[in-house]
Amino acid sequence: MRLPGRLSAAIEVLADMEARKRPVSEALKAWGLNNRFAGSGDRAGIGNMVYDVLRRRASHAWAMGSDDPRALVLSVAVREWGETPEGLNAAFEGDNFAPAPITAEEATRLTAHDPLAGAPDAVKADIPDWAGPSLAYLGDWVAEGRAMTERPPVDLRVNTLKATSDKVRKALSRFTPADTFAANGLRMFAGGKDARTPNVQSDEGYIKGWFEVQDLGSQAVATLAGARPGEQVLDLCAGGGGKTLAMAADMGNKGQIFAYDSDRSRLAPIYDRLKRNGVRNVQVRAPEPGALDDLAGKIDRVLIDAPCTGTGTWRRRPDTKWKLSSEQIATRLGEQAALLVEGATYVKAGGHLVYVTCSLLADENRNQIERFLAEHADFKAVSGEGLWNEAFGEAVGTPYFGPEGGVTLTPHRTGTDGFYVCVMRRG
């Protein structure tokens, strides 16, 4: 497919999302199934265009005076992909799959010198109107929002149970992986326009368990959780096991991790991942009545990777940015508060409770911790800044260190997805 056809396809996918109210991944998959002539390069290009639209939907809509899929796609093609109205119209001519020619009014908007003149800060930040005040504690929340509109990199965590960073770097040399501030992290930066994302999961090294795909922020909070060899650890919301695997490697397969999740379907992938990674110190506990009763008051470290709004992952899942409702937030807040209370019951004296979210909202993070600590005098927060400096050094990034003891990572501050972690010790 040529560019005109890809633009038309992106417009079609966005219109389908709007009409059917379905996630971007489902809409792209449906388009691919209905248009099997499209090659992998075509699908990558169309997907990139759709995601670029969703990441900066507000600012492109403001610039074009319309949030119609056509207007948004044309705006991305010109402002982000470097096309021109004249060049696009020349390409559209005689192409049966091309959009309609660009009008004079569209061309004027596409070439405006200051397309965001007079725009509210939320539009400049490309976040929902309500989100600005919720991010204000971070400082320059417009810059925070704009950082979440960038294409994310592909981050890897080297599995030290099976490989070394040098071994993985050599195996993936064709992708030129770069080092990160995490000792066992590697990063492949995103390309522009229709660049394909490296398919590392088909690589021999991945199949052999040498590495896992895991955002650098997720790696960092797993490190800050502080699991040590020989400890008894409970991963209370283990899901697919990403942080379970990271902690198992940090523990050198020594000690015991109990991996639990209340949802069987979320927990299902962990079994194959444990085997592939060579992990031997994890016991999976299925969600049965009384499944964790024997652990009460006996655990050195309880990790709560709490269900949350996912606002920290907006650069990877930009469609969710525009759908989040106050009802969804309220539901998550209730779940998080309950998990903190439950998790505390498993922590032994002198043990640690570790609370993690992939959210940037204060209500889900520092406010939850402040409320919990006020109601549980036997727990005290460990200095997040101290933990960070010990793990990564003072010169690495500029996370936000909250007064309650938490650490907040963001795309703007640390070049990672947005994550929050707070470690609390039981007296």
Side-chain angles (χ1 to χ4, degrees):
M1 295 175 67
R2 297 170 60 240
L3 179 61
R6 291 181 178 182
L7 298 184
S8 290
I11 293 169
E12 183 180 338
V13 169
L14 288 164
D16 179 55
M17 287 179 59
E18 186 175 327
R20 297 175 182 262
K21 308 298 181 187
R22 60 180 174 182
V24 59
S25 57
E26 290 184 13
L28 285 167
K29 181 179 179 180
W31 187 92
L33 291 173
N34 292 330
N35 297 273
R36 295 182 182 274
F37 62 86
S40 59
D42 296 322
R43 294 194 297 274
I46 294 163
N48 284 350
M49 175 62 70
V50 170
Y51 274 91
D52 285 347
V53 165
L54 294 172
R55 290 190 185 100
R56 294 178 175 156
R57 193 184 78 177
S59 60
H60 284 300
W62 178 276
M64 297 300 291
S66 170
D67 62 357
D68 178 81
R70 169 187 165 88
L72 299 175
V73 166
L74 292 177
S75 187
V76 169
V78 172
R79 294 193 171 89
E80 296 187 34
W81 287 37
E83 304 294 332
T84 66
E86 297 80 12
L88 288 174
N89 271 343
F92 292 174
E93 189 174 351
D95 191 313
N96 294 331
F97 299 100
I102 294 173
T103 66
E105 181 183 352
E106 288 174 329
T108 297
R109 287 188 172 274
L110 288 168
T111 56
H113 174 67
D114 186 4
L116 298 184
D121 282 347
V123 170
K124 294 177 181 178
D126 270 295
I127 59 175
D129 292 338
W130 59 264
S134 298
L135 301 178
Y137 73 96
L138 293 169
D140 188 349
W141 62 266
V142 173
E144 293 286 354
R146 292 207 63 77
M148 288 190 278
T149 68
E150 301 295 331
R151 291 186 185 179
V154 175
D155 289 333
L156 309 178
R157 180 187 58 80
V158 176
N159 177 22
T160 54
L161 298 175
K162 283 193 170 185
T164 64
S165 294
D166 287 343
K167 185 175 184 178
V168 174
R169 191 182 297 105
K170 182 177 179 180
L172 299 177
S173 60
R174 64 193 183 280
F175 298 127
T176 61
D179 291 334
T180 70
F181 66 75
N184 301 308
L186 294 173
R187 167 167 286 185
M188 287 157 287
F189 294 95
K193 299 182 69 170
D194 55 358
R196 300 191 202 184
T197 301
N199 183 19
V200 295
Q201 289 176 304
S202 64
D203 188 85
E204 178 186 21
Y206 178 82
I207 296 170
K208 290 183 175 180
W210 294 354
F211 61 86
E212 284 289 321
V213 178
Q214 185 176 18
D215 179 76
L216 179 57
S218 180
Q219 296 177 46
V221 297
T223 297
L224 294 174
R228 295 176 171 83
E231 286 189 337
Q232 299 291 300
V233 178
L234 170 61
D235 189 347
L236 190 57
C237 307
K243 294 180 183 66
T244 300
L245 297 172
M247 291 191 296
D250 287 343
M251 296 167 69
N253 261 337
K254 298 174 182 177
Q256 182 78 65
I257 300 176
F258 300 94
Y260 174 85
D261 198 284
S262 61
D263 187 325
R264 287 181 183 274
S265 62
R266 285 198 301 262
L267 195 60
I270 198 172
Y271 298 96
D272 288 339
R273 296 181 75 185
L274 292 171
K275 182 178 180 180
R276 179 166 50 80
N277 278 261
V279 172
R280 300 188 302 275
N281 69 330
V282 171
Q283 181 184 132
V284 181
R285 294 282 181 97
E288 303 287 352
L292 303 177
D293 287 355
D294 61 315
L295 305 183
K298 299 178 181 178
I299 302 298
D300 295 295
R301 203 168 301 266
V302 174
L303 173 68
I304 301 175
D305 190 3
C308 66
T309 57
T311 51
T313 65
W314 276 349
R315 60 180 185 168
R316 298 185 189 276
R317 302 181 61 201
D319 54 327
T320 64
K321 175 164 58 173
W322 310 109
K323 297 176 182 177
L324 186 59
S325 67
S326 58
E327 291 79 10
Q328 290 172 311
I329 295 174
T331 297
R332 292 308 188 203
L333 294 179
E335 293 170 343
Q336 293 156 6
L339 281 166
L340 278 165
V341 173
E342 179 186 356
T345 66
Y346 303 111
V347 182
K348 72 179 187 181
H352 293 82
L353 180 64
V354 184
Y355 178 74
V356 172
T357 74
C358 56
S359 172
L360 295 179
L361 303 184
D363 279 348
E364 296 188 273
N365 298 335
R366 60 186 291 182
N367 295 352
Q368 288 282 23
I369 295 302
E370 288 173 349
R371 185 182 305 109
F372 173 80
L373 292 175
E375 297 172 353
H376 296 78
D378 53 336
F379 281 88
K380 302 294 182 184
V382 180
S383 167
E385 186 170 6
L387 291 173
W388 179 269
N389 292 342
E390 181 181 350
F392 306 115
E394 296 182 23
V396 175
T398 54
Y400 174 79
F401 301 115
E404 80 292 353
V407 182
T408 303
L409 289 74
T410 77
H412 179 58
R413 287 173 168 266
T414 52
T416 68
D417 282 356
F419 278 92
Y420 174 85
V421 59
C422 187
V423 180
M424 295 162 282
R425 185 179 186 277
R426 187 168 208 166

